[in-house]
Every structure is written in structure tokens, then in C-alpha cells.
Amino acid sequence: YGIVMPARAFFTRACCLLSRHAAFEEMSGISREDILDAEVVAEAFQPVYWILRDRRLKSLVIAVRGTFSMSDIISDVYASQTEHEGHVLHGGILHGARWIYDKVLPHLREGEHVVITGHSLGGAIAAVLAWLLRDVAGFTNAFAVVFGVPQVVDESLAKKMQRYVVGFIHGYDLVPQLSQKSVQDFTEEIKDAAQTPEERLAKLERVLQDFALPSSPERL
């Protein structure tokens, strides 16, 4: 890009150094008046986002950035299971979605579509935000288009989201295959693989004892 269009690359870099808003305008082609709100510095459970108005499509567009900073990583690893509105979700993702939810509400217009997008962490937050807007706030024109999203909600909520969340996954992307349970299972498999034969035998004996079964081969 810098070789083919050096002047444009230099200008874009200068915009990035002077203002993230100016850089966003330059790279996206969106005018300043259509940028309704933005957070360009992430904090824990407060991801970077942009709230924009698409005048041609008469839609409100929300873009949520994926993992990029240490603050984003904190949101990623805070994987405690949190119950909300009858469903169980990834705690860090829910916190991030609820934070942006409060920022979005003042910009909603009756009859206007809301399109939310993001990648990885941002995609997970976008999907949960679409659910909050539809099922909690009653704004049924909210939809999400997400990329490489990890598993962050329970099965019943995932099935419900199929009506308004479209996800794209690269065939070799590991992140969408991850969940708190899959990571725990993988950790246990690593521990089991590292056990000595004596440790495995002792573990088997404990299982047999738990079921009141004889541990001696002769008695089995």
C-alpha cells in the first residue's frame, strides 16, 4: 500500500498520529457528522467501538474491535459463567456488551435497522449486544454479522441467536472452537497424557473404589 500509493499512505499515517477519528474517516470514507459516538481506547470490559449512521441504508451501524490490547485480554480471560435473563454467558463478554448497550440506546430511532459487527472478542460482544437490544430492550430490528467468534453463550441462547446473528468462520480458525468447557477438557487431557503408568493405575483404582468395585485383577 505504501509503495503503490505512497502519498495516501503517508497521509493516513499522519492522520493516525494526530487523531484516531481522522484516521477512521480517511480509511472508511465516513464523514465526521455520521460518527455518532466512539471509544478509541479500551479499558477492562470496555472495548473500542464506533457507532455510525448509514444514511443510504437508513441504518445504525456499530463496530466493535477485537482483541488488541491488554485491557481486551482481561475481557477475554474473565470467563466466569454469568447468568443473565435466564441464560448463562461468558462474564467478560456480557460486561462489554452491556457497557456498549448503554451507549447505543440514545441513538436508536423507531423503524431504523441496527447492524452490529465485530471480529473475535468484538464479534462475541456484537452478538450478545444484538440479543440485548432485541430481547431485553425490545428493539427487534437489531442484527449482527460477526467473524471468528468463540463460544460464549449457552446452547439455548445460541439457538435463539440463529434468527438474527450471522457468523463467518475460517476453516482453520481455533478461536471459534474454544469455550470454557473445551479449554478445561483440553487441560485435563494434557494432564492425563503426562501421567506415568503408576499414576494412571492409581487413578483407575480410585475410580473402582468409588463404585465399590474390587481393584485387584484377580477379583474382577
Side-chain angles (χ1 to χ4, degrees):
Y1 178 69
I3 296 175
V4 177
M5 305 179 66
R8 186 176 180 85
F10 176 80
F11 179 72
T12 302
R13 175 62 177 168
C15 286
C16 289
L17 293 174
L18 294 174
S19 167
R20 290 184 174 89
H21 283 75
F24 186 84
E25 291 177 53
E26 169 64 21
M27 300 180 73
S28 67
I30 298 173
S31 64
R32 177 65 64 94
E33 62 181 1
D34 289 329
I35 301 176
L36 307 182
D37 190 15
E39 177 56 64
V40 297
V41 178
E43 301 289 344
F45 314 121
Q46 298 179 3
V48 168
Y49 69 85
W50 297 83
I51 302 176
L52 318 163
R53 177 146 281 124
D54 188 325
R55 297 179 184 275
R56 184 174 63 87
L57 297 178
K58 298 181 180 179
S59 299
L60 191 70
V61 179
I62 305 159
V64 188
R65 192 185 71 183
T67 303
F68 187 76
S69 67
M70 184 56 67
S71 296
D72 296 324
I73 293 174
I74 293 174
S75 299
D76 284 325
V77 301
Y78 184 68
S80 65
Q81 295 185 342
T82 303
E83 186 172 349
H84 186 70
E85 298 292 331
H87 294 286
V88 178
L89 301 88
H90 181 295
I93 301 299
L94 178 61
H95 279 297
R98 292 179 68 178
W99 182 69
I100 299 179
Y101 172 86
D102 292 333
K103 309 293 183 182
V104 171
L105 288 181
H107 301 290
L108 296 178
R109 291 178 178 177
E110 187 68 31
E112 187 176 56
H113 284 85
V114 178
V115 180
I116 316 165
T117 189
H119 168 258
S120 192
L121 168 69
I125 291 175
V128 173
L129 177 58
W131 168 63
L132 292 176
L133 289 173
R134 291 180 69 100
D135 292 9
V136 178
F139 199 85
T140 56
N141 287 335
F143 301 88
V145 180
V146 298
F147 304 85
V149 175
Q151 302 172 43
V152 296
V153 301
D154 61 27
E155 184 178 3
S156 60
L157 181 52
K159 290 181 178 178
K160 185 184 298 184
M161 284 180 168
Q162 290 178 349
R163 295 184 289 111
Y164 49 84
V165 176
V166 177
F168 295 88
I169 299 174
H170 188 280
Y172 295 101
D173 190 353
L174 177 64
V175 172
Q177 303 178 46
L178 293 179
S179 66
Q180 186 178 24
K181 182 65 167 59
S182 66
V183 172
Q184 289 174 344
D185 290 344
F186 183 59
T187 302
E188 290 301 319
E189 289 178 6
I190 293 176
K191 290 180 180 178
D192 289 343
Q195 286 182 336
T196 64
E198 291 77 14
E199 290 173 330
R200 293 182 183 179
L201 181 59
K203 183 178 180 180
L204 176 59
E205 290 177 345
R206 288 194 298 270
V207 171
L208 292 173
Q209 290 173 2
D210 290 340
F211 286 92
L213 295 172
S215 59
S216 173
E218 292 79 9
R219 297 178 61 189
L220 288 172

